[in-house]
């Protein structure tokens, strides 16, 4: 593990950078990658970002990024916690990463050197502090990239990972002219028509048990087919049941194949989600865990209801 | 208009305070009121907050507030933009307010003296700065009150009224130990079971027109009756249709009496909501306006569709 000062000197000392982001890219990995790319180009380096894809709502992050033709010398990963998370880029880059910059305490990626700060709410918070040590001018574009990462990884400063330091970095980015109005609107105030339809369909599946302390929702293959949506539209659904007043355990069942369900469990008030899932061969964190159960919709739901009523009795 | 320094000296110079909040109280008026009460009690004054009511999710704001028996000498209003907003307390207090502290540029309340800062995202932002000029120790309770006001008036730092200054004040409140985890959970991550049912019912009413650039939802008296809910549960509904991808004008119709609808219009991208509503005798702000229309559900909706298609053609 190197420190932030050493990381700054390292980036100044080399020239031709490829920056890796994680598969199913989110605002933090893309914001980190493109901010770093813009900063390196600003101080006369060659740099490019390698992504599996850039979802359309994130295309503004590419503003101002120059396409440069060069042979990569240094491979950097940003916000990538493990080799497998490189997705389709894994085969090409595994074992070749020179420097990892990440905020996941669980980081296991194969890299020659690492800077990992698990107290940073977002990887973009680290990147901002890095730039302070490199005399990077925070342009509007760089500020947009960093604010995107920080706001998306904290649910717009709502999640418990948000620290006073996170707020102060965001304040500085606002002073540097980042377009919070646009970014917040796109990230937090926009739902696709399909998403509305899915939510509507999912609300119809809501079952309460354990005297309202457990809520269960589900999606089925038939629902996907009739709404003509992919699995990626399911993002965020798992948080719905836990948000309901009085619910201590929110369960989301997703039919992945006929007779096979993936289960997400989210809990409040110290109910152990990981322990709950372990009885079905799964696991995870205390407040967010998962497992897989075979059976028909009713069979699986009944198993979950029975188990939930035992825990919440 | 006095300045913040003068306001601080004024509060130090007097003794027995009654603090008024606005009717249908929100996090900002209650947070301002109870923070001010705690601070005045801290420096040896008598103080109490006058409210029409305190919704149950806000009862934690009363932590640490002492009940004191005294004759009021000075009447202060916090976050009350106009006399009528005092609600059931108007009759008793109208014309008797000594000092108004507010962040609404439109403030018209009758008061002997005023401090109004329309650039403050929340009235609690003003109160924090006031306390800095009064040597108030920011306790955990005071920090909770102020954070509640700031986070609720900015949609947890999502709305465009949020400034870098807002973020910095929030950062300081976090350093003073405010319980952001609890507050954010209650304010932004909790929905009542009834609210879920209302959303579900309202989603079922969604109509698109103008090639998907306008979305209309409605509530009817029958819906209220069958769900057994009051009008107050409707809070936040008006923001639903505008959030849909591609929608420039989101319209919410609320049946108030049989054959009489109140209409809320929210717009994106410069579409003028106030102008739109003025053709029905209403008005408001460029992006948020309202009006009232008489007729059956279908008649009113058809009028709105016709008008929307004209504007969005």
């Amino acid at each position: 593990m190197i420190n932030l000062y050493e990381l700054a000197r390292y980036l100044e000392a080399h020239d031709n950078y490829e920056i890796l982001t994680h598969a199913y890219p989110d605002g933090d990995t893309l914001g980190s990658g493109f901010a770093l790319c813009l900063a390196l180009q600003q101080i006369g380096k060659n740099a490019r970002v390698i992504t599996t894809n850039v979802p359309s709502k994130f295309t503004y992050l590419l503003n101002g990024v120059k396409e440069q033709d060069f042979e990569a010398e240094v491979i950097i990963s940003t916000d990538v916690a493990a080799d497998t998370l490189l997705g389709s880029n894994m085969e090409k880059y595994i074992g070749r990463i020179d420097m990892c910059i990440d905020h996941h305490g669980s980081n296991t990626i194969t890299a020659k050197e690492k800077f990992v700060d698990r107290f940073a709410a977002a990887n973009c918070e680290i990147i901002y502090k890095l730039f302070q040590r490199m005399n990077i001018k925070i342009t509007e574009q760089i500020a947009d990239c960093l604010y995107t990462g920080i706001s998306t990884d904290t649910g717009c400063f709502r999640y418990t990972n948000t620290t006073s330091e996170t707020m102060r970095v965001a304040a500085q980015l606002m002073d540097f002219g980042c377009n919070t109005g646009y970014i917040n609107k796109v990230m937090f105030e926009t739902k696709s028509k399909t998403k509305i339809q899915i939510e509507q369909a999912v609300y119809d599946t809501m079952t309460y048990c354990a005297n309202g302390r457990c809520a269960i929702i589900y999606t089925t293959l038939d629902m996907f087919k009739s709404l003509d949506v992919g699995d990626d539209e399911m993002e965020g659904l798992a948080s719905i049941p836990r948000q309901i007043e009085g619910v201590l355990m929110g369960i989301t069942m997703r039919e992945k194949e006929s007779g096979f369900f993936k289960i997400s469990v989210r809990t409040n008030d110290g109910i152990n989600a990981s322990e709950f899932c372990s009885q079905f061969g799964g696991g995870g964190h205390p407040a967010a865990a998962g497992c897989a159960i075979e059976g028909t919709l009713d069979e699986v739901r009944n198993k979950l209801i029975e188990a939930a009523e035992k825990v919440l009795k």
Side-chain angles (χ1 to χ4, degrees), chain A:
Chain A
M1 245 302 266
I2 59 171
N3 66 36
L4 209 50
Y5 173 82
E6 290 164 334
L7 176 57
R9 299 297 80 77
Y10 178 92
L11 293 174
E12 285 166 353
H14 297 79
D15 279 306
N16 296 298
Y17 292 94
E18 248 168 17
I19 303 162
L20 305 182
T21 53
H22 65 68
Y24 304 105
D26 60 10
D28 196 28
T29 198
L30 294 174
S32 295
F34 287 108
L36 191 55
C37 184
L38 285 162
L40 291 168
Q41 292 183 346
Q42 183 187 112
I43 58 169
K45 313 291 187 186
N46 286 319
R48 72 172 72 93
V49 178
I50 308 293
T51 63
T52 53
N53 64 304
V54 177
S56 62
K57 68 174 174 177
F58 289 120
T59 46
Y60 67 92
L61 298 174
L62 279 79
N63 287 347
V65 175
K66 284 177 278 188
E67 277 205 37
Q68 296 177 315
D69 190 27
F70 64 92
E71 188 96 10
E73 286 178 333
V74 177
I75 316 284
I76 303 183
S77 69
T78 50
D79 197 41
V80 188
D83 291 326
T84 52
L85 298 177
L86 291 168
S88 56
N89 291 314
M90 179 166 79
E91 211 174 320
K92 180 167 175 197
Y93 288 99
I94 193 167
R96 288 182 54 211
I97 297 170
D98 297 290
M99 180 65 70
C100 149
I101 310 175
D102 191 22
H103 73 124
H104 296 94
S106 60
N107 185 293
T108 59
I109 205 167
T110 313
K112 293 201 189 84
E113 278 291 1
K114 290 188 185 186
F115 179 84
V116 178
D117 177 0
R118 70 187 177 87
F119 297 106
N123 200 53
C124 279
E125 206 177 307
I126 300 173
I127 302 288
Y128 176 76
K129 290 180 191 168
L130 172 66
F131 290 173
Q132 288 185 300
R133 284 155 180 80
M134 288 174 71
N135 247 330
I136 299 294
K137 179 178 150 52
I138 308 291
T139 60
E140 205 178 301
Q141 283 74 33
I142 290 178
D144 279 353
C145 288
L146 296 178
Y147 181 86
T148 299
I150 292 172
S151 62
T152 54
D153 254 31
T154 59
C156 212
F157 311 101
R158 216 167 64 228
Y159 303 156
T160 51
N161 60 345
T162 311
T163 67
S164 59
E165 189 61 18
T166 314
M167 302 301 278
R168 288 196 179 92
V169 172
Q172 312 231 47
L173 295 172
M174 290 166 81
D175 285 337
F176 285 122
C178 76
N179 297 289
T180 53
Y182 173 79
I183 297 170
N184 293 344
K185 166 89 186 141
V186 172
M187 298 299 151
F188 307 108
E189 300 268 308
T190 305
K191 277 183 186 177
S192 69
K193 286 173 179 140
T194 316
K195 184 86 187 186
I196 298 264
Q197 289 177 312
I198 295 167
E199 281 190 14
Q200 199 175 352
V202 160
Y203 277 163
D204 284 334
T205 73
M206 185 86 69
T207 311
Y208 295 103
C209 64
N211 285 322
R213 279 169 298 170
C214 176
I216 304 179
I217 56 174
Y218 62 79
T219 60
T220 63
L221 296 175
D222 281 350
M223 280 164 65
F224 291 138
K225 210 182 289 169
S226 73
L227 292 172
D228 193 25
V229 295
D231 209 35
D232 53 321
E233 299 270 6
M234 294 301 114
E235 193 196 326
L237 282 190
S239 68
I240 291 179
R242 185 180 50 180
Q243 287 187 9
I244 301 164
E245 204 171 9
V247 167
L248 302 180
M249 180 180 284
I251 301 180
T252 306
M253 301 168 46
R254 286 156 65 172
E255 190 184 23
K256 304 298 275 188
E257 296 161 37
S258 179
F260 178 79
F261 286 84
K262 281 196 76 172
I263 316 294
S264 299
V265 178
R266 302 282 184 276
T267 55
N268 292 324
D269 291 350
I271 303 293
N272 196 316
S274 176
E275 223 166 73
F276 181 85
C277 288
S278 71
Q279 63 189 302
F280 301 108
H285 303 281
C291 58
I293 307 182
E294 281 182 43
T296 66
L297 174 65
D298 282 339
E299 284 165 4
V300 174
R301 186 164 51 171
N302 286 337
K303 273 187 196 172
L304 289 166
I305 290 174
E306 201 184 316
E309 296 200 321
K310 221 173 271 173
V311 174
L312 301 170
K313 71 159 179 284

